[in-house]
Amino acid sequence: MDISILGCIAPEVADHMPWFMPVLAVVTGAVFGSYLTCALYRAPLGLSLWRPPSYCPSCKKTLRARDLVPVLSWVYYRGRCGQCKTPISPRYLLIEVLSITIAFLALKASGGGFSYLLGYGFAVSVGAGAYFLFKHRQLPLKSVAFGLLCLGLY
């Protein structure tokens, strides 16, 4: 894997920590996957993606910081709300794991740098668009536009 972009920024990091970029890809995939689960739930309902903070759809209680750790909190609570114990769809876990996988594969395919971000952005946009099309029979134009922008810059 070429991490030359990292070498330009901090040669000692590239030389001594070859694990840095793969870990960064996993963290990036987890964070954006978590955001994507929120967006895929709220957008079709016409809800804001920013306010109110993340909450349990069943008990309506605001999720705590420890409830928001992608993948790990779902596994820790065994797929249930940490407060009311209502089951949480495995779809959330699946979307987060797929996002992590896409981020890692985009890193491997691109070698890192800006092309990694563009490849990841394009793949996630296509995935989100496909999900909306399948689930809601509509195509979100913002997702399509973002994906095409990433593809054009790639």
Side-chain angles (χ1 to χ4, degrees), residues 47-108:
L47 301 173
S48 168
L49 300 181
W50 308 107
R51 297 267 183 234
S54 294
Y55 59 91
C56 171
S58 181
C59 68
K60 306 291 188 229
K61 290 185 181 174
T62 300
L63 299 180
R64 300 167 294 211
R66 68 175 178 242
D67 301 332
L68 295 171
V69 179
V71 179
L72 298 179
S73 61
W74 196 94
V75 172
Y76 178 77
Y77 290 117
R78 295 186 176 112
R80 297 185 175 277
C81 171
Q83 298 179 51
C84 71
K85 309 299 183 218
T86 301
I88 298 170
S89 172
R91 172 185 59 191
Y92 295 102
L93 176 67
L94 178 64
I95 291 169
E96 290 174 355
V97 169
L98 281 173
S99 179
I100 291 168
T101 304
I102 291 168
F104 190 74
L105 292 175
L107 177 66
K108 290 298 240 181

Side-chain angles (χ1 to χ4, degrees), residues 9-10 18 22 26 28 43 53 55 57 97 118 122 125 143 146 151:
I9 298 168
V26 169
T28 302
Y55 59 91
V97 169
L118 294 174
F122 173 72
S125 295
S143 177
F146 181 74
L151 183 61

